[in-house]
Amino acid sequence: MSDLPAGWEKRISNTHGKEYYYNTKTQESRWEMPGDTAPSTVRASHLLVKHRDSRRPSSWRENKITRSKEEALQILNGYLEDIRSGRSTFGELASQFSDCSSAKRNGDLGHFGRGQMQKPFEEASFGLSINEMSGPISTDSGVHIILRTE
């Protein structure tokens, strides 16, 4: 007898090689067992500033990024200050200055579940409330500001 609610089954992800849960009625899939109170997905936008030690130190804005991590953090903190003061919106800055291709969507990454993003990014995103913005988050990609939208 299964501990899963009706309509749910356990499957193995071809991409990640780990168990996930699939609802045969709604086609919803999630990493967490159904019935958990934690959301299975979040939606977030981000503003990424890469540095020379990023795993891929180039972007749509710059072919070769040479700034240090400290310089990237200074830039990111300036963006935070502009957003918090009301001088700019998150979307305006992300669309102009993010080193991620999501810039063309004002930084919107869409919905994602656990295990789909780098761990520090995932933990920050799932730890934010809806419409809450993070401080600087460092990953192998660079430094980010994250805005949880759903």
Side-chain angles (χ1 to χ4, degrees):
M1 175 104 176
S2 172
D3 292 335
L4 296 172
W8 287 92
E9 57 186 37
K10 195 183 295 189
R11 295 185 175 181
I12 301 291
S13 165
N14 291 331
T15 306
H16 300 287
K18 64 182 197 178
E19 290 182 343
Y20 72 99
Y21 300 91
Y22 180 76
N23 187 313
T24 57
K25 294 175 184 167
T26 65
Q27 283 81 50
E28 177 187 356
S29 61
R30 57 167 62 182
W31 296 111
E32 297 86 18
M33 182 179 239
D36 289 353
T37 56
S40 60
T41 64
V42 295
R43 184 173 189 170
S45 298
H46 78 138
L47 196 166
L48 169 65
V49 179
K50 291 185 174 186
H51 49 80
R52 65 178 166 240
D53 296 321
S54 296
R55 68 179 176 181
R56 197 173 62 80
S58 65
S59 76
W60 68 274
R61 297 181 60 236
E62 295 177 74
N63 285 331
K64 185 175 183 189
I65 295 172
T66 58
R67 73 179 72 89
S68 68
K69 183 176 181 179
E70 292 72 28
E71 290 168 320
L73 275 168
Q74 280 184 314
I75 293 166
L76 199 73
N77 282 322
Y79 296 152
L80 275 169
E81 190 177 306
D82 287 347
I83 294 165
R84 289 179 177 146
S85 72
R87 283 190 295 268
S88 298
T89 67
F90 183 95
E92 288 169 346
L93 294 176
S95 67
Q96 294 174 55
F97 302 114
S98 181
D99 286 319
C100 179
S101 61
S102 67
K104 59 183 159 244
R105 296 180 306 278
N106 293 331
D108 184 17
L109 294 168
H111 291 90
F112 55 90
R114 293 194 181 273
Q116 292 183 276
M117 300 291 181
Q118 294 174 54
K119 198 67 171 166
F121 193 97
E122 173 189 306
E123 288 174 358
S125 299
F126 277 83
L128 294 169
S129 299
I130 294 171
N131 296 321
E132 184 180 7
M133 186 174 63
S134 74
I137 304 296
S138 184
T139 70
D140 290 343
S141 296
V143 289
H144 314 251
I145 302 169
I146 303 168
L147 175 65
R148 180 168 169 195
T149 55
E150 289 181 23

